[in-house]
C-alpha cells in the first residue's frame, strides 16, 4: 500500500521517464496535473517550479522529440537529454526521499516501472479507442444523405417541387423558427405617401384607401439582409443593382398572414387541393411537398404564369388588384380589399422586353435564368400582345427572402 507521498514520488518518476522519451507529452500532462504541481511547488517553491516548466517548454520547442512508440518501432533508444526540469524533479524527489527515508512503505523501482507501464497501456488504449470511433464515424457519414447545394439562406427551390425535380438532399443550417410580425398604423407621413402612390398607381380607377398599416418582422428583416448579402458576395458589384424597389403584391386574403409571418410564398409545380387551408383557393399550390391535401397532380400551363413559377410583383397597384381574392376565393368584393407593399432585392436582373416565342415558353421555369437572380418583364403598353408580353411591368423572384413585406393596404373599390 502506497502512501499519498509515495504515490506522488512515483508519479514524479513517471514524468521524468516520460520527459526522456517525449518531453512535449510530459509537459502537456504535467501542466494539467494540479496535485503534482502543488506538491512540487511546496517542495522547491513556485518560482523555481515555474522556471523548470518554462525550461521544459523551451526544450520541447528546441529539440525534436522521439515518442516511445516511435523509438520502439525504429528500435532506437529514446532521446536522452538532461534538462533543468529533469534535474529539478530529481532534486525534488531526492529531498522527498531524504525526508521520508524512515517510511517502510516506500515503493521500489519495479513498482515505479509498473506504474509507468500502466500509464502507457492506458494511453495506448485511449488512442486505439479514438481511432476505432473515428472509423465508425466515417462509415456512418458515408450512409448519410449528401448536403443540398441549392439550399441558400434557409430555402431550397426544390423543397416544394414534385415534378420538375424533387429535392433529395439534406438541408444544413435550419431556417429560424421565431418568425412573428406586428401590424401598427403607419406614421402620418408614410400614410400620406402611400395613399397618394397607391391611388396614382391605380391609374384613375375609382379607389379609396381605408387604412395603411406598417408590417414589422425582425426575423424576416434578418433573412432579407442575409439573402442580399449572399447575392452581393456571389455577384460582381457592377452586375447587380442596389436599387430595392417598393412593389405591390395581390394575393388571397388567407395567404396574407402566412406571408407577413414567414415571407412570400414561392409556388410549387402542382395543383392546390380545394380543401387545403393554405393553398385551397389558389390555382397552384404554395404548400411544401409534405402537404397531405395537395394531390401533387402537376400544374400545367393555363394562360397563367408567363415568366415561371415564382412570386410576382408590380409597380402598378391596378395590376396587383387583379390577384386580390377574399377568404372565399372571390375576386369581385368591393370593400376591405387587401394588398401588400413589399421591398425587393432583385440582384442581377434578367430583363425580358420582347414578346415570348411561345406563350408557355417560361411557364415551367422554377428559377431565374442561369446567371441571374430575378426576372423583369418590361411592360410594353399598347404594343403588348396578349399571352406573349405584358402591358404593365412585372418583377419575378424565386427565393422568398428577396422580398420583405412592409405595408398592408386596405381599400374599397367603387
Ligand atoms: Zn434542397
Ligand atoms: Zn396544400
Ligand atoms: Zn401556371
Amino acid at each position: 500500500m502506497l502512501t499519498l507521498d509515495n504515490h506522488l514520488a512515483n508519479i514524479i518518476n513517471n514524468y521524468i521517464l516520460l520527459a526522456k522519451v517525449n518531453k512535449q507529452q510530459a509537459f502537456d500532462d504535467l501542466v494539467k496535473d494540479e496535485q503534482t504541481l502543488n506538491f512540487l511547488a511546496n517542495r522547491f517553491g513556485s518560482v523555481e517550479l515555474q522556471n523548470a516548466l518554462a525550461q521544459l517548454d523551451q526544450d520541447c520547442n528546441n529539440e525534436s522529440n522521439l515518442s516511445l512508440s516511435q523509438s520502439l518501432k525504429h528500435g532506437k533508444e529514446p532521446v536522452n537529454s538532461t534538462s533543468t526540469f529533469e534535474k529539478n524533479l530529481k532534486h525534488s524527489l531526492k529531498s522527498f526521499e531524504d525526508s521520508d527515508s524512515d517510511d517502510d512503505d516506500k515503493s521500489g523501482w519495479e513498482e515505479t516501472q509498473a506504474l509507468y507501464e500502466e500509464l502507457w497501456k492506458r494511453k495506448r488504449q485511449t488512442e486505439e479507442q479514438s481511432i476505432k470511433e473515428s472509423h465508425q464515424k466515417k462509415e456512418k457519414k458515408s450512409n448519410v444523405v449528401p448536403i443540398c447545394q441549392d439550399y441558400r439562406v434557409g430555402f431550397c427551390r426544390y423543397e416544394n417541387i414534385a415534378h420538375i425535380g424533387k429535392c433529395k438532399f439534406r438541408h444544413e443550417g435550419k431556417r429560424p423558427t421565431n418568425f412573428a410580425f406586428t401590424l401598427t398604423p403607419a406614421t402620418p407621413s408614410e400614410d400620406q405617401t402611400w395613399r397618394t402612390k397607391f391611388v396614382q398607381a391605380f391609374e384613375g380607377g375609382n379607389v379609396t384607401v381605408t387604412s395603411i398599416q406598417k408590417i414589422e418582422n425582425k426575423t424576416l428583416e434578418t433573412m432579407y439582409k442575409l439573402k442580399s448579402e449572399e447575392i452581393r458576395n456571389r455577384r460582381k458589384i457592377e452586375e447587380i443593382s442596389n436599387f430595392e424597389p417598393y412593389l405591390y403584391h395581390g394575393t388571397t386574403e388567407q395567404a396574407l398572414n402566412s406571408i407577413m409571418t414567414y415571407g412570400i410564398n414561392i409556388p410549387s409545380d402542382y395543383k392546390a387541393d380545394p380543401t387545403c387551408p393554405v393553398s385551397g383557393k389558389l390555382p397552384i399550390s404554395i404548400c411544401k411537398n409534405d402537404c397531405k391535401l395537395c394531390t401533387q397532380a402537376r400544374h400545367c400551363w393555363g394562360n397563367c404564369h408567363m415568366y415561371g413559377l415564382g412570386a410576382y410583383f408590380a409597380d402598378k397597384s391596378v395590376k396587383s388588384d387583379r390577384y386580390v381574392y377574399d377568404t372565399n376565393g372571390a375576386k369581385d368584393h368591393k370593400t376591405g380589399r387587401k394588398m401588400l407593399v413589399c421591398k425587393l432585392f432583385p440582384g442581377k436582373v434578367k430583363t425580358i422586353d420582347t414578346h415570348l416565342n411561345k406563350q408557355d415558353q417560361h411557364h415551367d421555369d422554377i428559377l431565374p435564368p442561369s446567371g441571374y437572380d430575378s426576372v423583369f418583364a418590361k411592360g410594353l403598353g399598347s404594343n403588348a400582345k396578349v399571352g406573349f408580353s405584358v402591358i404593365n411591368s412585372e418583377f419575378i423572384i424565386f427565393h422568398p427572402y428577396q422580398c420583405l413585406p412592409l405595408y398592408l393596404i386596405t381599400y374599397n373599390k367603387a
Side-chain angles (χ1 to χ4, degrees), residues 156-168 266-272 284-291 294-299 309 364 366:
C156 162
R157 182 61 188 101
Y158 297 89
E159 64 192 52
N160 67 341
I161 293 294
H163 299 276
I164 299 167
K166 233 178 225 175
C167 183
K168 297 184 186 78
I266 306 295
S268 70
D269 62 348
Y270 43 89
K271 286 179 186 165
I284 188 165
S285 175
I286 52 166
C287 296
K288 295 272 152 62
N289 283 345
D290 56 5
C291 176
C294 294
T295 56
Q296 301 209 349
R298 186 164 182 172
H299 162 79
L309 303 172
D364 289 338
I366 54 167

Side-chain angles (χ1 to χ4, degrees), residues 299-300 304-305 309 363:
H299 162 79
C300 300
C304 43
H305 308 86
L309 303 172
H363 180 264

Side-chain angles (χ1 to χ4, degrees), residues 309-373:
L309 303 172
Y312 286 64
F313 301 83
D315 53 1
K316 303 271 187 235
S317 49
V318 70
K319 169 130 191 168
S320 299
D321 179 66
R322 286 203 259 144
Y323 305 96
V324 172
Y325 296 79
D326 66 11
T327 44
N328 299 314
K331 293 168 98 173
D332 51 4
H333 56 301
K334 297 285 179 207
T335 56
R337 295 176 75 83
K338 290 180 196 300
M339 193 186 290
L340 292 167
V341 176
C342 305
K343 184 162 78 166
L344 250 61
F345 191 87
K348 191 177 173 187
V349 183
K350 170 71 183 173
T351 300
I352 300 177
D353 54 5
T354 53
H355 306 304
L356 299 177
N357 299 329
K358 267 173 73 197
Q359 287 183 311
D360 62 352
Q361 187 184 346
H362 290 296
H363 180 264
D364 289 338
D365 290 0
I366 54 167
L367 289 166
S370 174
Y372 294 90
D373 304 306

Side-chain angles (χ1 to χ4, degrees), residues 252 254 271-287 291 293-294 327-329:
T252 65
Q254 65 189 152
K271 286 179 186 165
D273 186 277
T275 62
C276 174
V278 180
S279 309
K281 300 290 185 287
L282 298 166
I284 188 165
S285 175
I286 52 166
C287 296
C291 176
L293 293 163
C294 294
T327 44
N328 299 314

Side-chain angles (χ1 to χ4, degrees), residues 370-381:
S370 174
Y372 294 90
D373 304 306
S374 64
V375 172
F376 172 60
K378 195 171 187 289
L380 300 184

Side-chain angles (χ1 to χ4, degrees), residues 148 150-151 156 158-159 167-171:
C148 175
D150 297 293
Y151 189 71
C156 162
Y158 297 89
E159 64 192 52
C167 183
K168 297 184 186 78
F169 303 106
R170 193 156 48 97
H171 294 146

Side-chain angles (χ1 to χ4, degrees), residues 237-249:
I237 194 150
E238 64 274 16
E239 282 182 328
I240 60 166
S241 148
N242 279 322
F243 176 57
E244 294 168 85
Y246 284 53
L247 300 164
Y248 300 101
H249 181 76

